[in-house]
Amino acid sequence: MSKQKVTIGHVFKTIIWPRRKLLFIGLFLIIISRAAGLVPPWATKPFMDDILVNHQLDKLPLLLMGVTIAILIQAITSFLLTKILSVEAQHLISVLRSRVQKHLLRLPTRFFDNQKSGALVSRVMNDVEGVRNLVGTGLVQLVGGVLTAIISIGFLIHINALMTLFVLLPMSIFGIITLKAFSIIRPVFRERGKITAEVTGRLTETLNGVRVIKGFNAEQQEIKVFEKGVDQLFQNVKKSLTSTSFVTSAGTFLVGLASVGIMGLSGYFNLTAGEFLQFTMFMVFMIAPIVQMSNIGSQMTEAFAGLDRTEELMNIPIEDDGTIRTIKIGAIKGDMEFKDVSFSYEEGKPVLKNISFKAFAGSVTALVGTSGSGKTTIAGLTASFLNPESGMITIDGVDMNKVSLDSYRSQLGVVLQDDFLFEGTIRENILFPRPHATEDELQKAVRAAFVHEFTERFELGLETVIGERGVKLSGGQRQRIAIARAILANPRILILDEATSNLDTESESFIQDSLKTLMQGRTTFVIAHRLSTIRQADQILVVEDGQIAERGKHEELIERKGRYFQLYTYQARI
Ligand code: ADP
């Protein structure tokens, strides 16, 4: 992944500007709120000097009323602010999450080979959270704070210019320190998202693979890996904490220094008690936003770091952006041809070497061979999950590389070994490729795949919930659901990865029968392990070290007494 830096300009254009109306309303509210906020400090002087010292009690009711109204205005505006901007920020977060997830799903399958799913979850869910601080009250608070600071400076100069200088000097130093600190912290925050994603990813894997881990007694090792990850996270937080706490302490110290200066100077300039108090109050109003800025600054830094990572993901090209794959194929017949196709996952390590074969519409092609020979890779190419490095794959004579993925995959069905069933009812799982299929179509698929054979025994039938929180199904039952799903999808091209695990004989015969129905009339590629499937195949391709070592029908290949014969007799012995 390339390192991408999100610029302020980019963020402004894509995130801030489209929300300018809301942000302007926010700004308007904050100006009112801050202006109202200046009333109480201003009121200290007349209160001290006129009312307390000079006993002009007639002024008191007006003063109290003024301050009360100001406080009320402040309360209402800050309520509205949070309501408008925070809600918009949360809305933006959900929009961004959807956008990232959408992009993620359009990335090539190869991308997912090298990614932990838990890490990607963290990218989608956590990385965009930061915008809360950009659109939420953070940005507006910052602007409002700066405004208050400027107005306060005006008042301060009005009271005493020289004393104001005394306050401004340490505060400028503080400002410089803050800016410097944040340029240091940004990469630390950036790193944090990465570490979090790593650790979350590993944890998800650990939990998913808990059987293997326990089976190999590898808990200790996993505990160590996790501890290390968590410690990395801790070190990262520690680093940023040092910087942020340094900024805060520097702030406190410099503010203290300014106060000492003010105390001395107010004696020297002979200020009245009211003037001193007023000056101090305005000083607080000027300093508060500057200190607050360090807080908001770290939020902004976090937001930018998150956006950096999101941007990185969004910049990975999707598998079909419609520019190269321009041919939308209609209903296909299903003739497929590999012409001199080579493929490698890593440069210089070819996995498939100059493979050529034809699969006629409606025929069954069985891929057999030892593990690692390249069968899955061939299946992946037919599914357009992978693209040939050289050579060409054609579908009904059209170059697959130019075919729009949507138009092709809508006519494709895949049944994989460990098929993906999700949390939900059996009905939902079968309907998944065609949610709007009729009840009749569904029932046909259910019967053809012998799913009814076991669902009829369930109290809730097809409405039975399966998955983590539901009924646990046997391997054979899961497969039958996957087959029913493929039958319902009614694809022209079918890719089948037969399960290697042994099923009980009854399940086995159900599955054989349903597979037969499923393959009927479709161009099928099957990574075959069952002899019954292989015998029925129109052609068998014996894949050996990325090449087709032998091809033909079962009887022919047996007669030839070559590689297939060896494989077959070996399996028969088992
Ligand atoms: P089969 O299905 O016959 O067991 P595969 O097509 O899965 O074989 O694998 C063929 C070769 O490609 C193997 O050597 C395997 O290690 C390699 N391979 C498979 N998938 C990947 C991948 N995602 N990245 C790198 N190498 C891979």
Side-chain angles (χ1 to χ4, degrees), residues 110 113 345-346 351 369-378 527:
R110 286 293 318 274
D113 289 349
Y345 291 98
E346 290 156 46
V351 167
T370 48
S371 105
S373 57
K375 304 180 296 292
T376 310
T377 309
I378 295 179
I527 299 175

Side-chain angles (χ1 to χ4, degrees), residues 368-376 529 542-545 563 567 570:
V368 298
T370 48
S371 105
S373 57
K375 304 180 296 292
T376 310
H529 300 288
V542 182
V543 188
E544 195 87 333
D545 194 20
R563 191 70 190 110
L567 281 171
Y570 176 70

